[in-house]
């Protein structure tokens, strides 16, 4: 007995259209034409009509706890510090139910844009306590039918300069947080924070994901200390760094040296184009730098690289629709990428690479989970170039969303 049939789907790398049969949440057959007994044909079906079927998008860096707060937090300067201050002030009014409601709004947007897994960063400090963490834990449980949520707790406002933060981080890890994040540039002792977080990661056997080097001064950085500790603790392949806007201004020899450092230390890179473009270069009145790290150059040398949203409708990023095809297109624009291979790599940075990061499979194959989306395109590169919006999606054999096709009313 089949639970679902998908007809006439285009798979990346395949010449002919195929059918997919789904049962018990898994893909049980892929063939050019699935012919079964009568019960099989009674199963619900979806005609992909030659459109691309792919694994769902994976959001590798987002902040659900501080999304959708423009009505209460304004970034008057447009700078990073202005955003941090605005959110810090607004947090005093956050409640668990408030965070839950705003987070749910973002999750539901992401589901309809084809995302079925996210890594969300959640701020932990004595001011907000565990309210954000508890709200996101509830969201994780309530939306498991459509979204896998990984929770990264981190000290946005510092660790050593905010007494009591480490104890709360440990409570969150004891209560089910999936990994640990860091923000060294906000700490009075950046290297001390990096070391302590590695020690905590070892204590709890969790991965690390740092907000790092969010400026354009290439004369100093924290990346090297993270690389040093990654090797010292044997945490290669378990550390990501996000933003790292300094990488956008490195001359070619220094960039190549940095790529080698990150590759040898097994550190991955996440770029957040919308936020980095919005906040970077506010002190320039002309020739404004973009601040977006060249992730494609790192990926070409085997570094795990992802493109992500970061923030939605808040002082860090006052816009956003949770579309990762749009974010991949934005990155391609900024990085001046246009070839089929380059655009295909941008797609991989919102699908395959972050899926691997979160321990998920991105394969469309027999025996894999029936978690995929259908896009109005015939190639992954086309999805990026045209910002194709998913029209239908399934997670673990259950249909989670659909977008009816647009209709023209001709005269």
């Amino acid at each position: 007995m089949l639970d679902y049939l998908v007809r006439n789907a285009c798979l990346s790398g395949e010449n002919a259209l195929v059918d997919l049969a789904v049962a018990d949440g898994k893909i049980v057959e892929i063939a050019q034409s699935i012919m079964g007994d009568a019960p099989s044909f009674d199963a619900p079906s979806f005609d992909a009509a030659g459109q691309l079927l792919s694994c769902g998008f994976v959001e590798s860096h987002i902040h659900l706890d501080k999304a959708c707060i423009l009505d209460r937090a304004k970034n008057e300067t447009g700078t990073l510090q202005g955003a941090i201050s605005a959110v810090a002030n607004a947090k005093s009014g956050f409640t668990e139910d408030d965070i839950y409601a705003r987070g749910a709004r973002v999750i539901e947007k992401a589901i309809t844009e084809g995302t079925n897994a996210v890594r969300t960063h959640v701020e932990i400090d004595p001011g907000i306590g565990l309210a954000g963490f508890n709200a996101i834990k509830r969201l994780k449980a309530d939306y498991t039918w459509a979204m896998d949520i990984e929770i990264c707790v981190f000290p946005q406002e510092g660790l050593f300069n905010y007494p009591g933060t480490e104890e709360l981080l440990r409570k969150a890890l004891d209560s089910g947080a999936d990994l640990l994040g860091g923000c060294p540039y906000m700490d009075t002792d950046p290297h001390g924070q990096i070391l302590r977080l590695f020690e905590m990661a070892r204590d709890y056997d969790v991965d690390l994901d740092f907000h790092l080097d969010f400026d354009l001064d290439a004369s100093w950085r924290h990346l090297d200390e993270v690389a040093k500790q990654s090797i010292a603790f044997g945490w290669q392949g378990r550390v990501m760094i996000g933003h790292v806007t300094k990488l956008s201004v490195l001359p070619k020899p220094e960039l190549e040296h940095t790529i080698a450092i990150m590759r040898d230390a097994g550190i991955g890179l996440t770029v957040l184009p919308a936020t980095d473009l919005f906040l970077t270069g506010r002190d320039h009145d002309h020739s404004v730098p973009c601040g977006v790290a060249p992730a494609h150059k790192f990926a070409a040398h085997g570094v795990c690289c992802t493109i992500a949203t970061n923030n939605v409708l808040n002082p860090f990023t006052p816009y956003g629709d949770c579309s990762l095809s749009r974010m991949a297109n934005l990155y391609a624009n900024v990085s001046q990428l246009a070839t089929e291979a380059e655009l295909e790599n941008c797609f991989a940075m919102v699908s395959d690479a972050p899926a691997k990061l979160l321990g998920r499979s991105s394969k469309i194959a027999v025996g894999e989970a029936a978690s995929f989306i259908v896009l109005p395109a015939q190639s992954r590169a086309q999805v990026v170039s045209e910002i194709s919006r998913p029209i239908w999606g399934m997670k673990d054999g259950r249909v989670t969303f659909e977008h009816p096709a647009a209709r023209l009313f001709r005269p």
Side-chain angles (χ1 to χ4, degrees), residues 33-247:
S33 181
I34 294 177
M35 305 296 291
D37 54 21
S40 295
F41 288 109
D42 288 339
S45 65
F46 175 83
D47 187 357
Q51 298 176 106
L52 181 68
L53 186 146
S54 169
C55 65
F57 295 126
V58 178
E59 175 63 72
S60 58
H61 186 127
I62 198 168
H63 294 261
L64 294 176
D65 59 334
K66 57 188 181 188
C68 306
I69 56 171
L70 287 178
D71 60 333
R72 66 187 92 171
K74 303 293 183 183
N75 185 349
E76 302 296 343
T77 64
T79 62
L80 172 65
Q81 191 54 53
I84 291 171
S85 297
V87 173
N89 292 333
K91 275 199 302 185
S92 61
F94 288 5
T95 66
E96 184 177 322
D97 288 342
D98 164 55
I99 295 167
Y100 180 97
R102 291 185 286 101
R105 176 181 167 189
V106 174
I107 288 172
E108 291 178 10
K109 279 177 175 283
I111 292 169
T112 62
E113 294 295 343
T115 296
N116 56 28
V118 305
R119 170 180 288 183
T120 181
H121 293 255
V122 178
E123 296 186 16
I124 301 288
D125 57 57
I128 188 65
L130 297 179
F133 171 68
N134 290 333
I136 304 304
K137 271 185 67 176
R138 288 168 52 198
L139 289 169
K140 179 175 181 175
D142 291 349
Y143 282 89
T144 186
W145 55 273
M147 182 81 73
D148 292 329
I149 300 176
E150 190 177 82
I151 304 174
C152 177
V153 292
F154 83 114
Q156 168 71 74
E157 297 181 37
L159 185 63
F160 291 103
N161 54 304
Y162 207 154
T165 299
E166 180 176 338
E167 291 75 13
L168 287 168
L169 287 169
R170 289 184 178 273
K171 284 184 179 180
L173 289 165
D174 287 332
S175 300
D178 298 291
L179 71 157
L180 189 59
C183 197
Y185 61 80
M186 288 296 294
D187 213 298
T188 51
D189 184 0
H191 284 198
Q193 182 187 122
I194 293 168
L195 176 59
R196 182 62 56 84
L197 292 174
F198 269 96
E199 291 170 343
M200 291 173 64
R202 180 182 58 193
D203 292 343
Y204 288 90
D205 191 23
V206 295
D207 293 353
L208 287 163
D209 196 330
F210 289 90
H211 293 66
L212 215 62
D213 297 353
F214 209 148
D215 62 73
L216 300 175
D217 182 356
S219 67
W220 66 272
R221 64 187 186 186
H222 297 133
L223 186 159
D224 300 281
E225 182 66 17
V226 172
K228 172 187 170 182
Q229 299 299 350
S230 295
I231 294 171
F233 280 81
W235 238 243
Q236 296 97 321
R238 303 188 65 176
V239 179
M240 290 293 289
I241 55 176
H243 296 294
V244 209
T245 50
K246 293 176 188 285
L247 298 180

Side-chain angles (χ1 to χ4, degrees), residues 347-385:
F347 186 98
M349 287 195 280
V350 294
S351 58
D352 305 327
K356 184 178 180 182
L357 177 67
L358 270 65
R360 298 165 54 88
S361 172
S362 59
K363 295 179 181 178
I364 303 297
V366 172
E368 295 289 345
S371 298
F372 42 72
I373 57 176
V374 176
L375 297 131
Q378 277 67 57
S379 72
R380 288 152 62 106
Q382 185 186 353
V383 171
V384 176
S385 63

Side-chain angles (χ1 to χ4, degrees), residues 176-327:
D178 298 291
L179 71 157
L180 189 59
C183 197
Y185 61 80
M186 288 296 294
D187 213 298
T188 51
D189 184 0
H191 284 198
Q193 182 187 122
I194 293 168
L195 176 59
R196 182 62 56 84
L197 292 174
F198 269 96
E199 291 170 343
M200 291 173 64
R202 180 182 58 193
D203 292 343
Y204 288 90
D205 191 23
V206 295
D207 293 353
L208 287 163
D209 196 330
F210 289 90
H211 293 66
L212 215 62
D213 297 353
F214 209 148
D215 62 73
L216 300 175
D217 182 356
S219 67
W220 66 272
R221 64 187 186 186
H222 297 133
L223 186 159
D224 300 281
E225 182 66 17
V226 172
K228 172 187 170 182
Q229 299 299 350
S230 295
I231 294 171
F233 280 81
W235 238 243
Q236 296 97 321
R238 303 188 65 176
V239 179
M240 290 293 289
I241 55 176
H243 296 294
V244 209
T245 50
K246 293 176 188 285
L247 298 180
S248 68
V249 296
L250 293 183
K252 184 177 179 181
E254 293 180 33
L255 183 66
E256 291 176 344
H257 178 62
T258 302
I259 290 171
I261 289 173
M262 289 181 58
R263 186 183 61 231
D264 293 346
I267 297 173
L269 171 65
T270 297
V271 292
L272 300 311
T275 300
D276 296 347
L277 284 166
F278 179 72
L279 295 176
T280 301
R282 290 285 179 166
D283 56 341
H284 290 62
D285 59 10
H286 67 285
S287 298
V288 180
C290 71
V292 178
H296 59 288
K297 296 181 179 180
F298 286 78
H301 289 84
V303 175
C304 174
C305 292
T306 67
I307 299 168
T309 299
N310 193 42
N311 283 290
V312 177
L313 303 175
N314 77 6
F316 291 86
T317 321
Y319 26 68
D321 58 2
C322 300
S323 167
L324 283 174
S325 58
R326 183 178 67 83
M327 202 58 65

